[in-house]
Amino acid sequence: MSATRSKPAAVAAPKRRASLVRLFRTAALALLFGAPAHAESSHDERQVAAAVEDYLQGSSYSQADRLRRAFHPNARLYLDQGTDGMREVSIADYIGWFGKNPGQFNGRVGRLLGTQVDGGVATAKAEILIAKDQARFVDLFLLKKIGGRWQIVSKTATRQTAPAHGRQVLLAVSNVATMPGTELSAGNSFSELIHAYAAFRAAGYGVQFVSPEGGAVPLAYIDTRYPEHKDKLYDHDFMWALANTRKPADVDAGAYAALMYIGGSAAMFGVADDPALQALAVRVYEQHGGVVSAVCHGSAGLVGLTLSDGTALVGGKRVTGYPDAFEDKKAAYYKSFPFSIEQRLQSRKGLFRHGARNTSHVEVDGRLITGMNWQSTRDVVAAVIGKLETADGAAKVGATP
């Protein structure tokens, strides 16, 4: 400290000015994006999501108590009547529709699509799939914070035709944003995300994202020169889902027909060694007869999957991923990787195969389906859907939660 004070004023003044500038910037940022305000906003968003989740679960399992908790006693619902009419329904009447078989699944599969909080009011959007009716409902909610508690005060919906299966898939992603031991950014491949999401949605599947820690995940290789990148970047439902991924503990494996590991540099970190995500993938595959798949560096997620008999899920099966031959082994990014995908899969008795660089290459071995690189993403999804829609697959895989 004494050395600093003894410096000439000509040297010290610029440093004081720089310190003041930094202090001003910090204060300004605190006013604009203050941590307490952000924390309060995040808390409100979670509470809004919880209220909608009460509605989704309450309506799927005929739980009157959860429906009452979700809605204000004076809430009104504005529902379709005829081809272009509308009817107003009280919440008491609406809850009465779910009086049969309380606690039992009734065929409604719901998921939250997005929320927006503005002070003491909020909006939310959800999707409901009803397979037996080949129906997809998009629900819109108005919520209000009353007495410190968020409740739905109004709901409306529109109905669309949907495929009869009503099944869902999980896309597994990583939370790691920086490659350990470096200053290099890590992220989940945006191309793989949008290609997988779009292809599953086009086939009528609901899509959810899961990550070891839940919440927002880092993205990589975004290029808005490509219309499909730009479209998804400004797709509120898609981006909200990536900002609100689920933790494995919050996911019911029986509700999903498939789990697919997405690639990108982040896929090498925090995914393969996460016990909760490993257990979820094995439950989808072994207990519920689902498909497990991966693309590019996403195949790293397969290396730790062990079945109940102690054998590796990939053992004795054909499998692919991004091969050593295409990696730059001298680069800092590769030196940060915890293992070689190819070598680790082989050590687990996987029969590793790969094709030519920059071409699609997919390996299908039973209910294990993998792709070599990002160019393989659509073909991996097509193979997963093909497996699910075979006669035995449709009867066995992911038909109900």
Side-chain angles (χ1 to χ4, degrees), residues 232-319:
K232 277 291 179 281
L233 191 62
Y234 293 104
D235 181 330
H236 178 269
D237 294 349
F238 177 73
M239 296 304 293
W240 186 92
L242 288 174
N244 294 273
T245 65
R246 294 186 175 188
K247 295 180 181 179
D250 298 330
V251 175
D252 175 10
Y256 298 91
L259 182 147
M260 179 177 178
Y261 290 95
I262 295 297
S265 55
M268 295 298 301
F269 311 104
V271 173
D273 56 355
D274 184 75
L277 189 53
Q278 290 173 346
L280 175 62
V282 171
R283 287 198 302 272
V284 169
Y285 183 85
E286 191 172 42
Q287 297 178 17
H288 301 285
V291 172
V292 167
S293 66
V295 62
C296 199
H297 287 89
S299 290
L302 304 173
V303 302
L305 302 185
T306 302
L307 303 178
S308 59
D309 63 3
T311 62
L313 188 151
V314 300
K317 297 183 179 67
R318 297 187 311 278
V319 63

Side-chain angles (χ1 to χ4, degrees), residues 90-368:
S90 70
I91 186 57
D93 289 341
Y94 184 74
I95 292 175
W97 299 352
F98 296 91
K100 294 182 180 179
N101 303 315
Q104 295 184 25
F105 179 65
N106 56 29
R108 294 166 59 97
V109 178
R111 67 178 183 127
L112 182 62
L113 295 177
T115 62
Q116 178 67 50
V117 177
D118 290 293
V121 296
T123 56
K125 182 179 180 181
E127 172 188 74
I128 304 290
L129 298 176
I130 305 179
K132 64 182 179 64
D133 297 332
Q134 289 187 262
R136 174 182 185 258
F137 290 90
V138 176
D139 288 5
L140 296 178
F141 308 89
L142 177 64
L143 299 94
K144 188 167 180 63
K145 192 174 186 180
I146 303 172
R149 179 184 170 197
W150 285 98
Q151 290 183 293
I152 301 169
V153 296
S154 180
K155 180 184 96 74
T156 189
T158 185
R159 175 174 176 158
Q160 304 166 352
T161 301
H165 59 70
R167 285 171 284 176
Q168 299 190 88
V169 299
L170 282 167
L171 300 184
V173 289
S174 171
N175 301 100
V176 175
T178 304
M179 299 182 196
T182 78
E183 295 183 356
L184 299 173
S185 63
N188 300 280
S189 170
F190 199 62
S191 290
E192 294 170 31
L193 284 166
I194 63 177
H195 292 167
Y197 182 89
F200 278 122
R201 293 293 295 154
Y205 288 79
V207 180
Q208 296 275 13
F209 296 99
V210 62
S211 66
E213 299 174 12
V217 296
L219 305 174
Y221 321 125
I222 299 174
D223 192 337
T224 54
R225 291 177 301 172
Y226 301 110
E228 57 190 358
H229 280 226
K230 184 183 293 184
D231 289 346
K232 277 291 179 281
L233 191 62
Y234 293 104
D235 181 330
H236 178 269
D237 294 349
F238 177 73
M239 296 304 293
W240 186 92
L242 288 174
N244 294 273
T245 65
R246 294 186 175 188
K247 295 180 181 179
D250 298 330
V251 175
D252 175 10
Y256 298 91
L259 182 147
M260 179 177 178
Y261 290 95
I262 295 297
S265 55
M268 295 298 301
F269 311 104
V271 173
D273 56 355
D274 184 75
L277 189 53
Q278 290 173 346
L280 175 62
V282 171
R283 287 198 302 272
V284 169
Y285 183 85
E286 191 172 42
Q287 297 178 17
H288 301 285
V291 172
V292 167
S293 66
V295 62
C296 199
H297 287 89
S299 290
L302 304 173
V303 302
L305 302 185
T306 302
L307 303 178
S308 59
D309 63 3
T311 62
L313 188 151
V314 300
K317 297 183 179 67
R318 297 187 311 278
V319 63
T320 190
Y322 204 70
D324 286 345
F326 301 162
E327 299 279 18
D328 182 356
K329 298 182 180 62
K330 296 180 180 180
Y333 85 86
Y334 186 79
K335 292 178 180 178
S336 75
F337 284 179
F339 55 82
S340 154
I341 294 173
E342 181 176 343
Q343 293 173 22
R344 186 63 64 85
L345 289 173
Q346 289 174 336
S347 73
R348 299 280 281 168
K349 309 303 181 184
L351 308 177
F352 192 89
R353 304 284 188 272
H354 72 84
R357 188 189 293 269
N358 296 325
T359 64
S360 175
H361 180 87
V362 176
E363 293 289 345
V364 179
D365 197 325
R367 289 180 288 111
L368 175 63

